[in-house]
Amino acid sequence: MLSALRFHVRATRVVPPGGMIRTFAVRFGPFPGGGGGFGVIVEPKATFVQRAYALNMSQLALSGSTSSLPAEVSEFVGRRQDRAALRRLLEESRLVTLTGMGGVGKSRLALRMALELRRAFRDGVWFVPLGELSDHTLLAETTAAVLGIHDRSRRVGVVQLAEYLQSRELLLVLDNCEHLIEDCAVVVDSLLRACPRLRILATSREALRVQGEAVRPVAPLSVPDSEAGPADVHESEAVRLFVQRASHVTPGFALDEANRTAVLGICQHLEGMPLALELAAVRMRAMSAPELHQRLLDDWELLDLGSRGAPYRHRTMTACIEWSHALCTPAERRLWEQLAVFAGGAEMDAVGYTAAERDLSGTDEHLAHLLQSLVDKSILTVDLHDGRARYRMQELLRRFGKDRLESAGQLAAARRRHRDFYVELLARIDEEWMSPAQTDWMRRLRREEANLRIALDFSCTEPGEGDKGLELASRLRKYDIAYGGFTEARKWLDRLLAHSRSPSMTRVRGLRAASWLAVMQGDHTRASIFLDEARQIAPGIGAAAMSLVFQAEGQYRMSLGDLQSAIDSLNRAIEGMRSEGSLRDVAESYMLLGMTCGLAGDLDRAAAAHQTCLDICERSGESWFRSYSLWQLGLVIWAGGDPTHAVELEKQSLRLKRRIDERFGVALSFEALAWIQTDADPQRAAVLLGAADALWRLIGTSLETLPDLNTLRRRSEGAARDTLGAEQFRVAHGQGGTMELPSAIAYALGENSAVFRTERSGPKEQRGRLTKREREIAALVAIGLTNREIATRLVISVRTAEAHVENILTKLGFTSRTQIAAWFAERED
């Protein structure tokens, strides 16, 4: 009887490298593979448990089986594009590695692919779970055990494994390689070289970096934005996963009108992370979707309740992230923590400045190496903007790093460095404003909006930081005007002006910015209060401060219609600014002076002021002030009786504004082009007025803040309505209001002949949005063809097919191929 028994050890918990084996049970049992013999081998506990783990893996290799795939215990959701891409990659490469952060769904996707492909390999598909294996010397033996290879006289190594696999055609799935990455790379490389029919699908938080490896990063599930309609929310992969899992713990739960907003908020907050969504769904046993959404906003550790049957590292989000943290070097961990103070990503200069506090920057090469390592380990993702790398971190990882900084008492210092970087960045942008670099800087600021908010918040909430925060907020004035952030910018300025009371040039700049933005929203009472204080403190600071006050006063007087007083103030501002040598402020003041003279009907002085501004800007390569002077000069030329030349000037202005992607100026350009073209083409004018109104609503202001310009608007609108009739005007105005901004700009510039409409415009009109080739590809998408199949059908490259599909999605405002199919079917009907 003893010959039929063996000493069997099963570990109940194995933690990541460096951890402790908590408990293990000892029992007698039959050999998994049969056979006789009994003995006791004395080994160190860790080695003994690991060897038992490897031997237990052989239980998966049932006699005569051609696979070792664990069953799926819940419905697989989404990943259609990933699965199609994986099929293609496995055809082209013998090694494919799925990479991504913990909890993103690599293992589940690999298992799904293994199940789908199990009949495609003559000798089966074999799944080797490595997550609980911490002894790298047992890697080959563990793999052999899964394959059912037994040699009790000796351990099975890579050589024996290769001999077994050499003539076999199978797919080997190596799951969770990251903690054994070097050893996995060696074993995989050896097997691929020795076994010509072997293919390997690996999952890891970083690539194996083996020759011939194809890497497929696994992204979180798709999440619609806040403006998505009900159909888009229902189709979202993240929403479908959450609802499906929530219905398991709360029978009868379904997405409906009452909970849709909260469910969408949960999925957005968790950024489509599958593990996080599943852990959140568990909480639906005890709370409603709105309650869960609010709790998650306050406490991300609410996700620390998972399945007891899951691997330890996947039972909670904390455990999952700690596993990733343990796999990083000390320097990588410190950089992870420093990067946690950024939001929306960070570029190399920002990372280097902030990380220098903890001696992480060193040389640029050293910092680049650390960043690349964190990218390789799926802690960061990287993309390119204007030729610059931007590093991003998933929100849960960011909050983990931030918590570690806080617990170490280093969070305030890191946030101060973060804020100081953006103060210096804005100072540099001001220095380089009058240059061709201006456009790139404006685009950079668009990318930094989330970081700027964090920097401003730190300055408002941390004692003694108000002055630098006010400097930052006041330097953002032009950016706030360009992108229409009036309401938010005014709130920051109000808070910071209350925190920083000392009379200084910084305070004058803050008061000037606050006055400007108040005028832009028609709040003349508040603007007057800011100006009064600025007039009181500026004389004690110096001539430069007084010049800024005169400029702000000129803008304020112009908005009230007190044009002569405005002209006097602007002339005083220009005189002082010229003596200070600030071309940036001089150009802006001439632009304002030209506008004011134009409104006063002094066309010659207006044209002269604008030409001076244009000369300054064109010599330096500046674009923003130049675009405004061109816009106003077009109106001056129109008033002088030359609408054709005026339209050309307005289009020049709009092209510059498109380069900067400036909303406020684009709205003004739509207005001016409508006014000028009302008599010649009232239909076109009505469309442009509709497009302008949509932008005014978006940025939170209107032409009513400039009464003289609003008079031109009312005149144009009335003439177009009288000519077209109320109903035709309403339709044309509505068409403009529903156009996407790039299409509206193209329409205003005459770059297309059709009015591009949204779904509300009806099914037939939308077809005009796509080219003939795009409609052809949409038809193929509708019948279910993949990009590769489309490329084969049309004899084009796969990359070209992918680009066409992306263009179709962008033009139609869709996020999935299913939407394209539904759109096409509707139009064919």
Side-chain angles (χ1 to χ4, degrees):
M1 180 176 177
L2 287 179
S3 63
L5 301 175
R6 79 179 186 98
F7 202 53
H8 185 155
V9 179
R10 170 171 295 172
T12 60
R13 175 177 292 183
V14 180
V15 296
M20 297 274 302
I21 296 174
R22 304 291 177 84
T23 60
F24 62 93
V26 181
R27 68 178 177 83
F28 287 97
F31 281 106
F38 177 81
V40 176
I41 303 173
V42 179
E43 295 179 307
K45 182 177 9 178
T47 303
F48 188 54
V49 172
Q50 293 293 343
R51 186 179 297 281
Y53 171 80
L55 194 55
N56 281 339
M57 288 298 99
S58 67
Q59 291 179 316
L60 294 171
L62 302 176
S63 178
S65 173
T66 57
S67 72
S68 65
L69 303 180
E72 292 183 310
V73 295
S74 58
E75 179 186 345
F76 185 88
V77 176
R79 301 291 192 193
R80 182 174 54 80
Q81 291 183 347
D82 283 319
R83 286 148 61 192
L86 274 176
R87 286 177 179 272
R88 182 177 72 250
L89 288 174
L90 283 167
E91 291 175 3
E92 299 170 350
S93 175
R94 294 176 56 219
L95 170 62
V96 178
T97 303
L98 298 176
T99 61
M101 71 164 287
V104 80
K106 303 181 297 295
S107 297
R108 191 64 196 274
L109 176 59
L111 176 58
R112 165 52 52 167
M113 289 307 305
L115 290 166
E116 291 181 0
L117 295 172
R118 62 186 182 276
R119 292 187 179 86
F121 293 87
R122 185 188 66 200
D123 296 302
V125 178
W126 302 85
F127 192 88
V128 185
L130 301 175
E132 306 295 327
L133 183 67
S134 60
D135 186 346
H136 65 92
T137 66
L138 291 174
L139 179 58
E141 191 167 356
T142 301
T143 305
V146 169
L147 291 166
I149 307 171
H150 306 293
D151 188 342
R152 295 186 182 86
S153 65
R154 58 176 178 167
R155 291 176 57 177
V156 177
V158 178
V159 173
Q160 292 79 17
L161 193 57
E163 289 173 353
Y164 176 82
L165 294 171
Q166 188 172 24
S167 61
R168 286 175 166 79
E169 179 185 324
L170 58 79
L171 174 66
L172 196 62
V173 181
L174 300 179
D175 186 41
N176 289 303
C177 299
E178 57 270 0
H179 60 300
L180 304 169
I181 195 72
E182 298 294 338
D183 301 280
C184 283
V186 170
V187 170
V188 166
D189 186 58
S190 299
L191 292 179
L192 290 175
R193 292 179 186 278
C195 310
R197 295 183 179 86
L198 173 67
R199 292 181 186 272
I200 296 175
L201 174 60
T203 75
S204 176
R205 302 190 190 193
E206 60 180 306
L208 299 181
R209 288 188 286 186
V210 171
Q211 186 174 0
E213 178 184 33
V215 178
R216 174 74 181 184
V218 179
L221 298 174
S222 63
V223 182
D225 60 34
S226 300
E227 303 301 319
D232 297 316
V233 174
H234 279 269
E235 190 168 320
S236 159
E237 293 178 335
V239 171
R240 285 166 50 205
L241 177 67
F242 177 81
V243 170
Q244 198 261 358
R245 300 300 193 260
S247 67
H248 286 179
V249 300
T250 309
F253 177 81
L255 190 66
D256 56 30
E257 186 67 32
N259 62 31
R260 184 182 297 116
T261 300
V263 169
L264 177 58
I266 291 167
C267 295
Q268 289 173 332
H269 181 67
L270 299 179
E271 297 182 342
M273 283 293 296
L275 177 59
L277 291 167
E278 295 198 7
L279 294 172
V282 172
R283 293 290 184 174
M284 291 293 289
R285 290 193 185 104
M287 60 187 74
S288 67
E291 289 170 334
L292 175 59
H293 181 213
Q294 186 57 51
R295 288 284 304 279
L296 284 172
L297 293 176
D298 299 332
D299 181 13
W300 76 282
E301 292 186 354
L302 188 69
L303 302 179
D304 282 2
L305 177 65
S307 169
R308 294 187 181 93
Y312 178 71
R313 67 191 178 281
H314 280 174
R315 290 182 190 173
T316 69
M317 278 308 301
T318 299
C320 181
I321 297 171
E322 284 176 345
W323 172 272
S324 292
H325 195 258
L327 296 174
C328 293
T329 67
E332 290 165 357
R333 293 172 196 166
R334 290 197 300 273
L335 184 56
W336 174 346
E337 292 159 11
Q338 292 299 118
L339 285 165
V341 299
F342 291 92
E347 297 181 14
M348 181 73 82
D349 53 354
V351 175
Y353 188 100
T354 304
E357 186 179 64
R358 298 188 69 184
D359 297 325
L360 285 168
S361 57
T363 64
D364 288 344
E365 291 77 12
H366 176 61
L367 181 60
H369 173 76
L370 287 176
L371 286 167
Q372 184 59 53
S373 183
L374 289 177
V375 171
D376 291 342
K377 293 180 178 179
S378 302
I379 305 303
L380 300 176
T381 58
V382 61
D383 47 40
L384 294 177
H385 294 278
D386 297 330
R388 297 172 62 90
R390 189 167 184 85
Y391 300 92
R392 299 179 183 275
M393 185 183 295
Q394 207 269 346
E395 179 63 17
L396 291 172
L397 296 178
R398 191 176 80 84
R399 292 176 70 174
F400 176 84
K402 185 178 174 182
D403 287 348
R404 287 185 64 87
L405 276 178
E406 188 168 20
S407 64
Q410 298 169 342
L411 180 59
R415 292 192 66 187
R416 184 175 294 105
R417 292 283 296 176
H418 172 275
R419 190 275 319 279
D420 289 349
F421 170 78
Y422 287 102
V423 171
E424 292 190 17
L425 180 69
L426 266 294
R428 181 181 172 191
I429 290 174
D430 273 352
E431 290 173 6
E432 298 184 14
W433 184 262
M434 302 299 290
S435 74
Q438 181 194 85
T439 301
D440 291 337
W441 282 127
M442 290 293 276
R443 287 199 291 259
R444 170 76 183 270
L445 288 178
R446 287 298 296 272
R447 300 194 294 271
E448 300 291 359
E449 281 188 354
N451 281 314
L452 293 168
R453 288 190 183 98
I454 288 175
L456 290 166
D457 179 71
F458 172 77
S459 301
C460 288
T461 56
E462 190 74 10
E465 301 294 341
D467 286 346
K468 281 202 171 182
L470 185 58
E471 181 182 352
L472 177 61
S474 62
R475 289 188 186 277
L476 283 169
R477 177 184 61 92
K478 296 186 291 296
Y479 174 80
D480 294 326
I481 294 170
Y483 297 114
F486 304 119
T487 300
E488 181 181 359
R490 290 184 65 193
K491 288 179 180 177
W492 289 120
L493 283 164
D494 285 346
R495 292 177 67 184
L496 289 162
L497 285 168
H499 277 74
S500 174
R501 290 289 184 181
S502 58
S504 62
M505 189 63 173
T506 295
R507 186 163 185 83
V508 170
R509 289 186 180 277
L511 292 165
R512 169 215 195 191
S515 172
W516 263 81
L517 295 171
V519 166
M520 304 280 297
Q521 288 196 309
D523 188 352
H524 295 100
T525 300
R526 292 287 291 164
S528 177
I529 293 171
F530 294 133
L531 276 174
D532 285 345
E533 183 185 346
R535 288 191 203 98
Q536 291 172 15
I537 67 174
I541 297 169
M546 284 303 304
S547 297
L548 294 181
V549 174
F550 286 137
Q551 186 200 66
E553 194 169 64
Q555 184 243 10
Y556 170 72
R557 293 294 176 189
M558 178 182 67
S559 71
L560 293 176
D562 186 359
L563 300 179
Q564 189 54 56
S565 294
I567 290 170
D568 292 342
S569 294
L570 290 168
N571 279 324
R572 295 180 71 181
I574 291 170
E575 182 180 354
M577 290 169 177
R578 279 195 176 280
S579 65
E580 292 291 326
S582 172
L583 280 180
R584 181 183 66 249
D585 292 332
V586 169
E588 184 174 29
S589 296
Y590 269 116
M591 180 267 291
L592 284 170
L593 178 62
M595 184 175 181
T596 309
C597 290
L599 294 174
D602 192 339
L603 301 185
D604 290 339
R605 287 181 66 189
H610 285 305
Q611 192 58 56
T612 302
C613 177
L614 290 172
D615 290 343
I616 295 171
C617 294
E618 287 168 2
R619 283 196 299 268
S620 63
E622 194 274 348
S623 296
W624 195 54
F625 298 144
R626 181 162 41 134
S627 72
Y628 276 96
S629 272
L630 285 168
W631 170 75
Q632 181 62 28
L633 188 58
L635 294 178
V636 170
I637 297 298
W638 173 48
D642 190 350
T644 302
H645 185 202
V647 166
E648 286 307 310
L649 290 171
E650 296 299 342
K651 288 183 177 180
Q652 287 181 43
S653 172
L654 182 54
R655 290 187 189 100
L656 288 173
K657 294 180 185 302
R658 177 166 62 177
R659 283 174 50 194
I660 305 173
D661 187 25
E662 190 214 338
R663 296 171 180 174
F664 182 78
V666 167
L668 288 175
S669 292
F670 288 165
E671 292 277 1
L673 284 166
W675 306 339
I676 296 169
Q677 296 176 93
T678 298
D679 292 339
D681 192 343
Q683 171 87 11
R684 186 175 188 82
V687 172
L688 289 171
L689 291 174
D693 284 342
L695 264 181
W696 293 131
R697 288 191 296 271
L698 179 66
I699 62 181
T701 188
S702 72
L703 274 183
E704 291 180 4
T705 61
L706 295 169
D708 294 282
L709 293 180
N710 200 39
T711 299
L712 295 174
R713 161 63 191 251
R714 290 197 301 270
R715 186 181 304 156
S716 171
E717 184 176 329
R721 183 179 281 107
D722 289 344
T723 304
L724 296 174
E727 180 59 22
Q728 190 174 346
F729 177 86
R730 184 190 64 79
V731 171
H733 185 276
Q735 290 171 354
T738 55
M739 290 166 70
E740 296 173 359
L741 185 57
S743 296
I745 293 174
Y747 178 79
L749 292 172
E751 295 174 351
N752 54 46
S753 57
V755 176
F756 296 149
R757 308 181 185 184
T758 64
E759 289 180 304
R760 286 176 285 176
S761 304
K764 297 297 182 184
E765 291 84 349
Q766 269 203 17
R767 298 187 62 162
R769 301 179 67 182
L770 304 184
T771 65
K772 182 178 179 181
R773 173 63 97 183
E774 287 167 348
R775 290 197 298 273
E776 184 179 14
I777 288 175
L780 299 177
V781 169
I783 63 174
L785 268 60
T786 66
N787 289 341
R788 177 170 290 278
E789 291 167 338
I790 291 171
T792 302
R793 177 80 64 90
L794 300 180
V795 195
I796 58 178
S797 70
V798 175
R799 186 178 296 275
T800 299
E802 290 172 346
H804 279 305
V805 172
E806 287 301 317
N807 286 339
I808 293 168
L809 290 168
T810 299
K811 284 186 176 182
L812 297 180
F814 293 161
T815 58
S816 73
R817 298 167 80 94
T818 304
Q819 289 173 294
I820 296 175
W823 175 87
F824 188 86
E826 179 186 350
R827 277 134 195 84
E828 289 304 292
D829 293 341

